[in-house]
PDB file of all heavy atoms in Angstrom:
ATOM      1  N   MET A   1       0.843  -1.227   0.022  1.00  0.00           N
ATOM      2  CA  MET A   1       0.016  -0.010  -0.001  1.00  0.00           C
ATOM      3  C   MET A   1       0.893   1.263  -0.028  1.00  0.00           C
ATOM      4  O   MET A   1       1.797   1.314   0.841  1.00  0.00           O
ATOM      5  CB  MET A   1      -0.872   0.003   1.245  1.00  0.00           C
ATOM      6  CG  MET A   1      -1.950   1.106   1.250  1.00  0.00           C
ATOM      7  SD  MET A   1      -2.933   1.135   2.777  1.00  0.00           S
ATOM      8  CE  MET A   1      -3.993  -0.224   2.546  1.00  0.00           C
ATOM      9  N   SER A   2       0.553   2.229  -0.827  1.00  0.00           N
ATOM     10  CA  SER A   2       1.346   3.409  -0.930  1.00  0.00           C
ATOM     11  C   SER A   2       0.959   4.386   0.210  1.00  0.00           C
ATOM     12  O   SER A   2      -0.064   4.315   0.711  1.00  0.00           O
ATOM     13  CB  SER A   2       1.190   4.129  -2.322  1.00  0.00           C
ATOM     14  OG  SER A   2      -0.070   4.717  -2.403  1.00  0.00           O
ATOM     15  N   MET A   3       1.864   5.270   0.466  1.00  0.00           N
ATOM     16  CA  MET A   3       1.640   6.351   1.491  1.00  0.00           C
ATOM     17  C   MET A   3       0.353   7.070   1.136  1.00  0.00           C
ATOM     18  O   MET A   3      -0.409   7.546   1.982  1.00  0.00           O
ATOM     19  CB  MET A   3       2.733   7.340   1.588  1.00  0.00           C
ATOM     20  CG  MET A   3       3.892   6.852   2.407  1.00  0.00           C
ATOM     21  SD  MET A   3       3.442   6.790   4.165  1.00  0.00           S
ATOM     22  CE  MET A   3       3.328   8.610   4.501  1.00  0.00           C
ATOM     23  N   LYS A   4       0.160   7.302  -0.183  1.00  0.00           N
ATOM     24  CA  LYS A   4      -1.000   8.149  -0.629  1.00  0.00           C
ATOM     25  C   LYS A   4      -2.364   7.586  -0.170  1.00  0.00           C
ATOM     26  O   LYS A   4      -3.309   8.292  -0.108  1.00  0.00           O
ATOM     27  CB  LYS A   4      -0.978   8.284  -2.137  1.00  0.00           C
ATOM     28  CG  LYS A   4       0.070   9.299  -2.641  1.00  0.00           C
ATOM     29  CD  LYS A   4      -0.261  10.717  -2.208  1.00  0.00           C
ATOM     30  CE  LYS A   4       0.813  11.720  -2.555  1.00  0.00           C
ATOM     31  NZ  LYS A   4       0.662  12.934  -1.782  1.00  0.00           N
ATOM     32  N   GLU A   5      -2.387   6.274   0.022  1.00  0.00           N
ATOM     33  CA  GLU A   5      -3.628   5.634   0.464  1.00  0.00           C
ATOM     34  C   GLU A   5      -3.922   5.736   1.943  1.00  0.00           C
ATOM     35  O   GLU A   5      -5.009   5.599   2.458  1.00  0.00           O
ATOM     36  CB  GLU A   5      -3.646   4.173   0.068  1.00  0.00           C
ATOM     37  CG  GLU A   5      -3.775   3.996  -1.439  1.00  0.00           C
ATOM     38  CD  GLU A   5      -3.537   2.538  -1.871  1.00  0.00           C
ATOM     39  OE1 GLU A   5      -2.804   1.831  -1.186  1.00  0.00           O
ATOM     40  OE2 GLU A   5      -4.051   2.207  -2.870  1.00  0.00           O
ATOM     41  N   LYS A   6      -2.859   6.136   2.768  1.00  0.00           N
ATOM     42  CA  LYS A   6      -3.012   6.293   4.162  1.00  0.00           C
ATOM     43  C   LYS A   6      -3.363   7.801   4.556  1.00  0.00           C
ATOM     44  O   LYS A   6      -2.495   8.430   5.149  1.00  0.00           O
ATOM     45  CB  LYS A   6      -1.774   5.768   4.902  1.00  0.00           C
ATOM     46  CG  LYS A   6      -1.558   4.285   4.736  1.00  0.00           C
ATOM     47  CD  LYS A   6      -0.255   3.822   5.408  1.00  0.00           C
ATOM     48  CE  LYS A   6      -0.042   2.372   5.312  1.00  0.00           C
ATOM     49  NZ  LYS A   6       1.284   2.037   5.910  1.00  0.00           N
ATOM     50  N   ARG A   7      -4.431   8.183   4.085  1.00  0.00           N
ATOM     51  CA  ARG A   7      -4.800   9.596   4.329  1.00  0.00           C
ATOM     52  C   ARG A   7      -5.258   9.843   5.788  1.00  0.00           C
ATOM     53  O   ARG A   7      -6.072   8.996   6.310  1.00  0.00           O
ATOM     54  CB  ARG A   7      -5.906   9.927   3.392  1.00  0.00           C
ATOM     55  CG  ARG A   7      -6.392  11.366   3.484  1.00  0.00           C
ATOM     56  CD  ARG A   7      -7.507  11.645   2.509  1.00  0.00           C
ATOM     57  NE  ARG A   7      -7.038  11.357   1.147  1.00  0.00           N
ATOM     58  CZ  ARG A   7      -7.319  12.011   0.030  1.00  0.00           C
ATOM     59  NH1 ARG A   7      -8.113  13.154   0.201  1.00  0.00           N
ATOM     60  NH2 ARG A   7      -6.944  11.691  -1.181  1.00  0.00           N
ATOM     61  N   THR A   8      -4.668  10.876   6.430  1.00  0.00           N
ATOM     62  CA  THR A   8      -5.167  11.229   7.784  1.00  0.00           C
ATOM     63  C   THR A   8      -5.931  12.590   7.591  1.00  0.00           C
ATOM     64  O   THR A   8      -5.376  13.667   7.383  1.00  0.00           O
ATOM     65  CB  THR A   8      -3.959  11.459   8.716  1.00  0.00           C
ATOM     66  OG1 THR A   8      -3.211  10.202   8.716  1.00  0.00           O
ATOM     67  CG2 THR A   8      -4.460  11.699  10.154  1.00  0.00           C
ATOM     68  N   LEU A   9      -7.247  12.474   7.594  1.00  0.00           N
ATOM     69  CA  LEU A   9      -8.099  13.579   7.329  1.00  0.00           C
ATOM     70  C   LEU A   9      -8.440  14.325   8.675  1.00  0.00           C
ATOM     71  O   LEU A   9      -9.305  13.859   9.443  1.00  0.00           O
ATOM     72  CB  LEU A   9      -9.426  13.021   6.671  1.00  0.00           C
ATOM     73  CG  LEU A   9     -10.235  13.900   5.817  1.00  0.00           C
ATOM     74  CD1 LEU A   9      -9.451  14.505   4.616  1.00  0.00           C
ATOM     75  CD2 LEU A   9     -11.515  13.251   5.409  1.00  0.00           C
ATOM     76  N   MET A  10      -7.775  15.407   8.849  1.00  0.00           N
ATOM     77  CA  MET A  10      -8.003  16.202  10.083  1.00  0.00           C
ATOM     78  C   MET A  10      -8.688  17.537   9.758  1.00  0.00           C
ATOM     79  O   MET A  10      -8.228  18.623  10.135  1.00  0.00           O
ATOM     80  CB  MET A  10      -6.634  16.452  10.782  1.00  0.00           C
ATOM     81  CG  MET A  10      -5.896  15.156  11.072  1.00  0.00           C
ATOM     82  SD  MET A  10      -6.816  14.052  12.192  1.00  0.00           S
ATOM     83  CE  MET A  10      -6.676  14.921  13.729  1.00  0.00           C
ATOM     84  N   LEU A  11      -9.719  17.419   8.996  1.00  0.00           N
ATOM     85  CA  LEU A  11     -10.527  18.632   8.614  1.00  0.00           C
ATOM     86  C   LEU A  11     -11.730  18.806   9.461  1.00  0.00           C
ATOM     87  O   LEU A  11     -12.220  17.781  10.120  1.00  0.00           O
ATOM     88  CB  LEU A  11     -10.980  18.489   7.125  1.00  0.00           C
ATOM     89  CG  LEU A  11      -9.884  18.230   6.042  1.00  0.00           C
ATOM     90  CD1 LEU A  11     -10.461  17.994   4.793  1.00  0.00           C
ATOM     91  CD2 LEU A  11      -8.889  19.442   5.992  1.00  0.00           C
ATOM     92  N   PRO A  12     -12.339  19.949   9.593  1.00  0.00           N
ATOM     93  CA  PRO A  12     -13.606  20.154  10.309  1.00  0.00           C
ATOM     94  C   PRO A  12     -14.741  19.566   9.520  1.00  0.00           C
ATOM     95  O   PRO A  12     -15.888  19.799   9.868  1.00  0.00           O
ATOM     96  CB  PRO A  12     -13.715  21.648  10.543  1.00  0.00           C
ATOM     97  CG  PRO A  12     -12.473  22.258   9.950  1.00  0.00           C
ATOM     98  CD  PRO A  12     -11.819  21.251   9.090  1.00  0.00           C
ATOM     99  N   GLY A  13     -14.532  18.846   8.507  1.00  0.00           N
ATOM    100  CA  GLY A  13     -15.538  18.189   7.642  1.00  0.00           C
ATOM    101  C   GLY A  13     -15.180  18.367   6.163  1.00  0.00           C
ATOM    102  O   GLY A  13     -14.576  19.459   5.799  1.00  0.00           O
ATOM    103  N   PRO A  14     -15.392  17.317   5.372  1.00  0.00           N
ATOM    104  CA  PRO A  14     -15.847  15.989   5.668  1.00  0.00           C
ATOM    105  C   PRO A  14     -14.871  15.281   6.634  1.00  0.00           C
ATOM    106  O   PRO A  14     -13.707  15.533   6.644  1.00  0.00           O
ATOM    107  CB  PRO A  14     -15.963  15.294   4.326  1.00  0.00           C
ATOM    108  CG  PRO A  14     -15.872  16.408   3.337  1.00  0.00           C
ATOM    109  CD  PRO A  14     -15.062  17.446   3.884  1.00  0.00           C
ATOM    110  N   THR A  15     -15.437  14.349   7.395  1.00  0.00           N
ATOM    111  CA  THR A  15     -14.647  13.631   8.352  1.00  0.00           C
ATOM    112  C   THR A  15     -14.595  12.090   7.942  1.00  0.00           C
ATOM    113  O   THR A  15     -15.381  11.626   7.190  1.00  0.00           O
ATOM    114  CB  THR A  15     -15.275  13.815   9.760  1.00  0.00           C
ATOM    115  OG1 THR A  15     -16.580  13.207   9.791  1.00  0.00           O
ATOM    116  CG2 THR A  15     -15.402  15.207  10.176  1.00  0.00           C
ATOM    117  N   PRO A  16     -13.663  11.383   8.570  1.00  0.00           N
ATOM    118  CA  PRO A  16     -13.552   9.981   8.241  1.00  0.00           C
ATOM    119  C   PRO A  16     -14.710   9.232   8.620  1.00  0.00           C
ATOM    120  O   PRO A  16     -15.396   9.520   9.731  1.00  0.00           O
ATOM    121  CB  PRO A  16     -12.277   9.501   9.125  1.00  0.00           C
ATOM    122  CG  PRO A  16     -11.568  10.773   9.495  1.00  0.00           C
ATOM    123  CD  PRO A  16     -12.663  11.871   9.581  1.00  0.00           C
ATOM    124  N   ILE A  17     -15.059   8.206   7.839  1.00  0.00           N
ATOM    125  CA  ILE A  17     -16.306   7.351   8.120  1.00  0.00           C
ATOM    126  C   ILE A  17     -15.889   6.046   8.758  1.00  0.00           C
ATOM    127  O   ILE A  17     -14.972   5.395   8.228  1.00  0.00           O
ATOM    128  CB  ILE A  17     -17.106   7.223   6.793  1.00  0.00           C
ATOM    129  CG1 ILE A  17     -17.465   8.527   6.113  1.00  0.00           C
ATOM    130  CG2 ILE A  17     -18.287   6.343   6.986  1.00  0.00           C
ATOM    131  CD1 ILE A  17     -17.833   8.408   4.654  1.00  0.00           C
ATOM    132  N   PRO A  18     -16.534   5.611   9.829  1.00  0.00           N
ATOM    133  CA  PRO A  18     -16.145   4.297  10.384  1.00  0.00           C
ATOM    134  C   PRO A  18     -16.319   3.172   9.305  1.00  0.00           C
ATOM    135  O   PRO A  18     -17.295   3.276   8.465  1.00  0.00           O
ATOM    136  CB  PRO A  18     -17.255   4.172  11.450  1.00  0.00           C
ATOM    137  CG  PRO A  18     -17.667   5.498  11.850  1.00  0.00           C
ATOM    138  CD  PRO A  18     -17.592   6.287  10.566  1.00  0.00           C
ATOM    139  N   GLU A  19     -15.399   2.249   9.288  1.00  0.00           N
ATOM    140  CA  GLU A  19     -15.423   1.221   8.219  1.00  0.00           C
ATOM    141  C   GLU A  19     -16.686   0.514   8.006  1.00  0.00           C
ATOM    142  O   GLU A  19     -17.217   0.292   6.923  1.00  0.00           O
ATOM    143  CB  GLU A  19     -14.283   0.263   8.481  1.00  0.00           C
ATOM    144  CG  GLU A  19     -13.941  -0.681   7.396  1.00  0.00           C
ATOM    145  CD  GLU A  19     -13.632   0.006   6.058  1.00  0.00           C
ATOM    146  OE1 GLU A  19     -13.055   1.121   6.073  1.00  0.00           O
ATOM    147  OE2 GLU A  19     -13.913  -0.487   4.940  1.00  0.00           O
ATOM    148  N   ARG A  20     -17.291   0.027   9.111  1.00  0.00           N
ATOM    149  CA  ARG A  20     -18.608  -0.691   9.051  1.00  0.00           C
ATOM    150  C   ARG A  20     -19.680   0.204   8.486  1.00  0.00           C
ATOM    151  O   ARG A  20     -20.500  -0.315   7.702  1.00  0.00           O
ATOM    152  CB  ARG A  20     -18.944  -1.299  10.393  1.00  0.00           C
ATOM    153  CG  ARG A  20     -18.125  -2.569  10.802  1.00  0.00           C
ATOM    154  CD  ARG A  20     -18.532  -3.059  12.170  1.00  0.00           C
ATOM    155  NE  ARG A  20     -18.279  -2.076  13.187  1.00  0.00           N
ATOM    156  CZ  ARG A  20     -18.555  -2.302  14.529  1.00  0.00           C
ATOM    157  NH1 ARG A  20     -19.126  -3.409  14.873  1.00  0.00           N
ATOM    158  NH2 ARG A  20     -18.254  -1.331  15.355  1.00  0.00           N
ATOM    159  N   ALA A  21     -19.748   1.407   8.860  1.00  0.00           N
ATOM    160  CA  ALA A  21     -20.681   2.369   8.307  1.00  0.00           C
ATOM    161  C   ALA A  21     -20.492   2.622   6.829  1.00  0.00           C
ATOM    162  O   ALA A  21     -21.444   2.611   6.037  1.00  0.00           O
ATOM    163  CB  ALA A  21     -20.684   3.677   9.117  1.00  0.00           C
ATOM    164  N   ARG A  22     -19.210   2.737   6.456  1.00  0.00           N
ATOM    165  CA  ARG A  22     -18.844   2.996   5.072  1.00  0.00           C
ATOM    166  C   ARG A  22     -19.324   1.799   4.148  1.00  0.00           C
ATOM    167  O   ARG A  22     -19.926   2.028   3.118  1.00  0.00           O
ATOM    168  CB  ARG A  22     -17.368   3.158   4.911  1.00  0.00           C
ATOM    169  CG  ARG A  22     -16.967   3.800   3.607  1.00  0.00           C
ATOM    170  CD  ARG A  22     -15.450   4.146   3.612  1.00  0.00           C
ATOM    171  NE  ARG A  22     -14.625   2.973   3.688  1.00  0.00           N
ATOM    172  CZ  ARG A  22     -14.252   2.161   2.690  1.00  0.00           C
ATOM    173  NH1 ARG A  22     -14.800   2.472   1.458  1.00  0.00           N
ATOM    174  NH2 ARG A  22     -13.482   1.193   2.827  1.00  0.00           N
ATOM    175  N   GLN A  23     -19.161   0.584   4.587  1.00  0.00           N
ATOM    176  CA  GLN A  23     -19.614  -0.554   3.929  1.00  0.00           C
ATOM    177  C   GLN A  23     -21.131  -0.602   3.748  1.00  0.00           C
ATOM    178  O   GLN A  23     -21.608  -1.120   2.793  1.00  0.00           O
ATOM    179  CB  GLN A  23     -19.077  -1.836   4.595  1.00  0.00           C
ATOM    180  CG  GLN A  23     -17.575  -2.016   4.464  1.00  0.00           C
ATOM    181  CD  GLN A  23     -17.019  -3.076   5.335  1.00  0.00           C
ATOM    182  OE1 GLN A  23     -17.698  -3.741   6.061  1.00  0.00           O
ATOM    183  NE2 GLN A  23     -15.704  -3.312   5.265  1.00  0.00           N
ATOM    184  N   ALA A  24     -21.798  -0.067   4.780  1.00  0.00           N
ATOM    185  CA  ALA A  24     -23.219  -0.113   4.757  1.00  0.00           C
ATOM    186  C   ALA A  24     -23.776   0.731   3.548  1.00  0.00           C
ATOM    187  O   ALA A  24     -24.902   0.414   3.002  1.00  0.00           O
ATOM    188  CB  ALA A  24     -23.833   0.558   6.066  1.00  0.00           C
ATOM    189  N   GLY A  25     -22.957   1.732   3.094  1.00  0.00           N
ATOM    190  CA  GLY A  25     -23.430   2.510   1.984  1.00  0.00           C
ATOM    191  C   GLY A  25     -23.446   1.755   0.708  1.00  0.00           C
ATOM    192  O   GLY A  25     -23.945   2.300  -0.328  1.00  0.00           O
ATOM    193  N   ALA A  26     -22.836   0.556   0.657  1.00  0.00           N
ATOM    194  CA  ALA A  26     -22.805  -0.213  -0.578  1.00  0.00           C
ATOM    195  C   ALA A  26     -24.025  -1.189  -0.728  1.00  0.00           C
ATOM    196  O   ALA A  26     -24.174  -1.912  -1.676  1.00  0.00           O
ATOM    197  CB  ALA A  26     -21.579  -1.068  -0.561  1.00  0.00           C
ATOM    198  N   GLU A  27     -24.972  -1.074   0.279  1.00  0.00           N
ATOM    199  CA  GLU A  27     -26.199  -1.912   0.132  1.00  0.00           C
ATOM    200  C   GLU A  27     -27.007  -1.492  -1.041  1.00  0.00           C
ATOM    201  O   GLU A  27     -26.860  -0.375  -1.606  1.00  0.00           O
ATOM    202  CB  GLU A  27     -27.111  -1.709   1.331  1.00  0.00           C
ATOM    203  CG  GLU A  27     -26.546  -2.343   2.565  1.00  0.00           C
ATOM    204  CD  GLU A  27     -27.524  -2.309   3.763  1.00  0.00           C
ATOM    205  OE1 GLU A  27     -28.740  -2.388   3.538  1.00  0.00           O
ATOM    206  OE2 GLU A  27     -27.033  -2.131   4.926  1.00  0.00           O
TER     207      GLU A  27
END
Side-chain angles (χ1 to χ4, degrees):
M1 187 185 283
S2 73
M3 276 293 288
K4 285 293 174 195
E5 288 170 334
K6 294 180 180 176
R7 181 180 304 220
T8 305
L9 203 61
M10 303 299 289
L11 304 173
T15 64
I17 301 163
E19 189 59 29
R20 282 179 297 181
R22 194 170 67 81
Q23 289 169 0
E27 287 188 35

